[in-house]
Amino acid sequence: MKKRFFSGIQPTGEIHIGNYLGAIQRWVELANNPEYEGILSIVDYHAMTMPYEAKELTAKIKEAATMIMACGIQPHNSILFIQSHVPEHTELAWIFNCNCTMGELSRMTQFKDKSQDRGESVWAGLFTYPVLQAADILLYKAQYVPVGEDQLQHLELSRDIARRFNARFGEVFPEPQALLGEARRVLGIDGDKKMSKSLGNTISLSESSQEIWKKLSTAKTDERRKRRQDPGIPTDCNIFTSYHRYFTGKEELATIDRECRCAGIGCMDCKKILAKNMETILSPIREKYYELKKDFSAVEQFLNASALRCHSIAQETMTEVRKKIGIRW
Ligand code: AMP
Ligand code: TRP
């Protein structure tokens, strides 16, 4: 029996290097490991929890699916589907709404952050967002969930919901475990906050090398290095800790560390090396993305076949769940 993992991404904007280093890179690694079976989802219902434009959502769903395929999630190694194509997600979410308390949901920090300054005008769906997330994972009885650090609290709630359901109605769900990547929380190009689509501090995977350079060249570094000859401390520099660490090989990383500390290289030199190394990793993804985008049919076929497969797993789980909770016999 293969170990099953599940993960999702919201189609709310361009996929960025925080998503890639924090989650997608891990998905691809696991997908290519024959011990695992991966189910990945574009969670469009989750994207509706904040204000949005319907026309833009369609384009963003397609774009996200194309980019995830370009990153290496492919029909031969995974399942990639659109959440709303499998209606059992919302059915199970309703049942979980009746297995999760207002108190638990009020403690979710993502809800607190996203509802800040918006008072009572936030959608009820934003409040129950983690319940739908639990349904996503448990519908497939997934054991592992590769995500970034920001999702740990939601994962803990999914485990609580599974445990409570099993205790009330009998064993149905495994308790899913989070799998963190090496990059748990990639900071934005501002060097200040988490890289996030909603903050505009991202480097997206589809950006050209020129666009990336424009962002890198003006990005903040260690503030000690006001002049070229000032030495710096790499661990106090976002360029080093957030990006070089993941895009640059061990040996070159050690050289940069040493040369920054003695002002042997300047910040611009350091950024140029980073740009070159990022290009090595990102350009094959970008090329594949633009190639798939020209003819969407390969992506569409993958999504349709995946939805059928997911639907069949989901139906099995729901038959079991409906009986357990007493609405079928
Ligand atoms: P989202 O874009 O919020 O749907 O996130 C998709 C995945 O990327 C989730 O597993 C997040 O935890 C992860 N992620 C998003 N932003 C970051 C970041 N700045 N650093 C690390 N992981 C991230
Ligand atoms: N909440 C996740 C995020 O914003 C997206 C998500 C929805 C998800 N359902 C999921 C992640 C299930 C992992 C498993 O990043």
Side-chain angles (χ1 to χ4, degrees):
M1 276 284 273
K2 290 193 179 212
K3 298 178 228 174
R4 183 174 284 166
F5 69 93
F6 182 99
S7 199
I9 188 163
Q10 298 192 65
T12 45
E14 291 183 345
I15 294 182
H16 52 74
I17 61 173
N19 297 133
Y20 182 70
L21 299 170
I24 301 172
Q25 208 176 31
R26 197 74 193 279
W27 302 355
V28 176
E29 194 186 300
L30 292 172
N32 289 322
N33 180 335
E35 285 180 26
Y36 288 86
E37 175 192 31
I39 305 183
L40 287 326
S41 184
I42 316 284
V43 292
D44 49 353
Y45 280 147
H46 279 108
M48 294 168 53
T49 56
M50 295 291 272
Y52 76 97
E53 291 294 330
K55 268 195 207 127
E56 285 174 18
L57 182 57
T58 314
K60 284 175 180 170
I61 291 170
K62 290 180 169 180
E63 191 184 301
T66 311
M67 187 53 92
I68 291 166
M69 267 187 94
C71 288
I73 293 299
Q74 296 279 329
H76 68 86
N77 63 18
S78 323
I79 296 174
L80 172 67
F81 77 106
I82 297 171
Q83 184 190 35
S84 67
H85 290 189
V86 182
E88 284 80 1
H89 285 254
T90 43
E91 185 185 354
L92 187 58
W94 179 257
I95 294 165
F96 285 168
N97 267 323
C98 306
N99 274 280
C100 179
T101 66
M102 296 283 286
E104 283 170 320
L105 291 175
S106 321
R107 289 192 283 277
M108 294 293 118
T109 55
Q110 186 170 300
F111 173 74
K112 288 188 213 164
D113 291 347
K114 288 195 174 177
S115 59
Q116 218 176 28
D117 310 326
R118 299 175 60 225
E120 297 205 333
S121 68
V122 296
W123 302 136
L126 185 67
F127 188 62
T128 57
Y129 175 117
V131 178
L132 179 59
Q133 181 162 351
D136 295 341
I137 301 163
L138 297 173
L139 192 53
Y140 303 98
K141 301 188 179 179
Q143 296 143 279
Y144 299 101
V145 187
V147 281
E149 191 178 74
D150 58 352
Q151 295 303 312
L152 288 182
Q153 198 187 26
H154 288 167
L155 247 289
E156 198 48 51
L157 184 65
S158 297
R159 295 165 63 82
D160 292 342
I161 290 176
R163 199 176 310 128
R164 182 174 306 139
F165 184 100
N166 292 343
R168 284 183 73 192
F169 304 111
E171 197 71 22
V172 176
F173 300 113
E175 286 181 34
Q177 267 179 45
L179 289 182
L180 286 174
E182 211 190 336
R184 297 167 156 224
R185 185 172 181 269
V186 178
L187 291 189
I189 199 75
D190 50 7
D192 206 24
K193 299 201 174 67
K194 188 188 84 164
M195 185 174 285
S196 161
K197 292 168 216 170
S198 57
L199 295 175
N201 61 359
T202 61
I203 293 180
S204 86
L205 295 184
S206 59
E207 275 178 295
S208 68
S209 53
Q210 290 87 335
E211 286 168 312
I212 295 180
W213 177 249
K214 222 165 133 188
K215 291 184 179 176
L216 284 182
S217 58
T218 53
K220 211 162 84 179
T221 57
D222 177 7
E223 282 171 355
R224 290 178 191 87
R225 302 205 71 180
K226 292 196 174 53
R227 296 162 308 168
R228 168 67 181 78
Q229 64 270 34
D230 295 332
I233 297 179
T235 45
D236 288 342
C237 174
N238 187 39
I239 293 290
F240 187 86
T241 55
S242 288
Y243 313 132
H244 262 306
R245 213 155 81 192
Y246 307 113
F247 287 103
T248 300
K250 261 194 190 147
E251 265 177 45
E252 199 172 22
L253 200 63
T255 311
I256 291 167
D257 184 292
R258 194 181 59 238
E259 294 299 313
C260 170
R261 287 174 196 274
C262 66
I265 57 168
C267 291
M268 273 301 168
D269 306 321
C270 174
K271 287 175 173 178
K272 278 182 194 152
I273 302 170
L274 173 64
K276 171 181 71 71
N277 294 342
M278 282 177 82
E279 187 60 10
T280 307
I281 294 176
L282 300 182
S283 69
I285 296 176
R286 191 191 308 135
E287 277 162 28
K288 186 79 192 158
Y289 170 74
Y290 285 108
E291 183 194 316
L292 286 166
K293 212 176 159 178
K294 265 192 250 155
D295 176 12
F296 190 65
S297 63
V299 184
E300 192 125 53
Q301 264 177 30
F302 186 20
L303 293 174
N304 290 340
S306 296
L308 283 177
R309 172 94 180 91
C310 286
H311 198 205
S312 121
I313 305 173
Q315 277 177 319
E316 259 179 54
T317 307
M318 289 315 298
T319 301
E320 198 183 345
V321 167
R322 291 185 202 113
K323 278 192 190 150
K324 291 271 194 219
I325 62 171
I327 59 171
R328 290 289 189 285
W329 49 89

